[in-house]
Amino acid sequence: MQQLIRGRVLDFHADPHETEDNHRYLEDGAILIKDGLIVAVDDYAKLAAPGIPEIDHRPHLILPGFIDTHIHFPQVQVIGSWGAQLLDWLNTYTFPEEARFSQQGHAPAMAGAFLDLLTSHGTTTAVAFCSVHPESAEALFDAAQARNMAMVAGKVMMDRNAPEGVLDTPQSGYDDSKALIEKWHGRGRQRYAITPRFAITSTPEQLDIAGQLVREYPDCHIQTHLSENLDEIAYTLSLYPKARDYLDIYETHGLLSDKLLLGHSIHLEEREIRRMAETGSRAVFCPTSNLFLGSGLFDEAGLRAAGVVNGIATDVGGGTSYSMLQTLNEGYKILQLRGQKLHPFAAFHWATRGNAVALGMEDTIGTLAPGSHADLVVLDARATPAMDLRMQRAETLAEELFILQILGDDRSIAQTYVAGQAMKAA
Ligand code: GUN
Ligand code: ZN
């Protein structure tokens, strides 16, 4: 089945930090889709043909769908919990909530709601932490597969320093992860991420076993947390007294590679930054979470200059919005406090192709290149009265993007397509 989606089309083929020739913009453009894949992108007049159904989104912008490289599926009912920093927040709100995912029916109900939230905010792929219970990952993959939506997800491995109801053991963590990998990794658009939660909640034995999984399944991503909060770092180093630094714990257990996504990566030592660059390990910036939990200010330009590839993500429920637009807004402000500037082209590249590059998935998502999945977001820069007024004074595409970045949220998502399917009622 072919369809033509018409609008003002924008995508990126290179990083705006690296070259001026970084994007393609078509004022009256169109995307030709067949069987959920992009066949061609060009001026509308060149692609229109009798017999091909058309959807006209003018005057809205059409971009590749947003990619969220760090989010916690079992925290849909934790988001917006008051008054704590990381370790208190985990113990007071998060672990008790995640314990509920062992209850019959809870994970499937939350999985549908979670994916609806993602697509209503324009996000078409997410890299998700599930709870410790394999049925949470099972439910998320099941729901994503039913929508033909590309998820990268894994059940967290955690065997200490948390309540009984959210703990596994090195052996059960290995067995459950392996069974999920065998069932889901590479099935349709689903991919598995081996997910030791962080060093505080994993014994050395469990990190060994995570390293074993990484060797057995080198094609899987690995996701964890690194150097988010100063108390967390001090506690971590007390649990691993022989470690040279926080990253060294993951390094000694064989987890470092270009498949590794290190959430937060704020308070880093020189050696850690060097090893991340040398091994290709990715840093993931989580601005709304870092402000909400009072964690600290990510050094985007410093890491990039050192050769580290950076993703950007919501980190719901430590993060406070599902919107990648709001994430870019808060990201802009954090970088302001660092004396760094997030240009709107760099911002929209980051939430699309940049995050796809961080995942090594830019051949299938993050751009509108032929052969990619037709995962699209349609953006309305006049969605609210405040945006409409501000847009009256906007003259360039960069200004329009910046208005979306600063004032936009789910109200600006006119439509989201997952593999060519519209996710919102038209
Ligand atoms: N570190 C370990 N677990 C978590 C989590 O769930 N959220 C955040 N923000 N940091 C973590
Ligand atoms: Zn996280």
Side-chain angles (χ1 to χ4, degrees), residues 392-404:
Q392 291 172 22
R393 306 291 299 139
E395 288 170 3
T396 64
L397 177 62
E399 278 182 273
E400 179 177 358
L401 291 174
F402 194 58
I403 289 164
L404 280 161

Side-chain angles (χ1 to χ4, degrees), residues 95 157-162 197-203 206:
F95 293 151
M157 304 168 76
M158 47 192 296
D159 67 344
R160 67 168 170 185
N161 292 322
R197 185 179 200 121
F198 66 157
I200 289 176
T201 48
S202 283
T203 58
Q206 181 161 68

Side-chain angles (χ1 to χ4, degrees), residues 70 72 129 225 264 315:
H70 184 122
H72 294 261
F129 288 70
H225 297 85
H264 306 292
D315 191 34

Side-chain angles (χ1 to χ4, degrees), residues 66 285-289 291 312-314 320-337 340-344 346-348 350-351 387 401-409 411:
F66 297 135
F285 179 26
C286 303
T288 70
S289 170
L291 293 175
I312 185 164
T314 65
T320 53
S321 173
Y322 290 88
S323 170
M324 288 303 292
L325 298 172
Q326 277 308 296
T327 300
L328 295 170
N329 172 21
E330 299 297 290
Y332 176 88
K333 296 171 187 170
I334 287 184
L335 298 190
Q336 279 281 42
L337 288 168
Q340 301 171 16
K341 292 267 181 280
L342 179 54
H343 188 278
F348 281 83
W350 207 356
M387 294 178 83
L401 291 174
F402 194 58
I403 289 164
L404 280 161
Q405 173 182 343
I406 301 304
L407 301 177
D409 53 30
R411 293 168 294 181

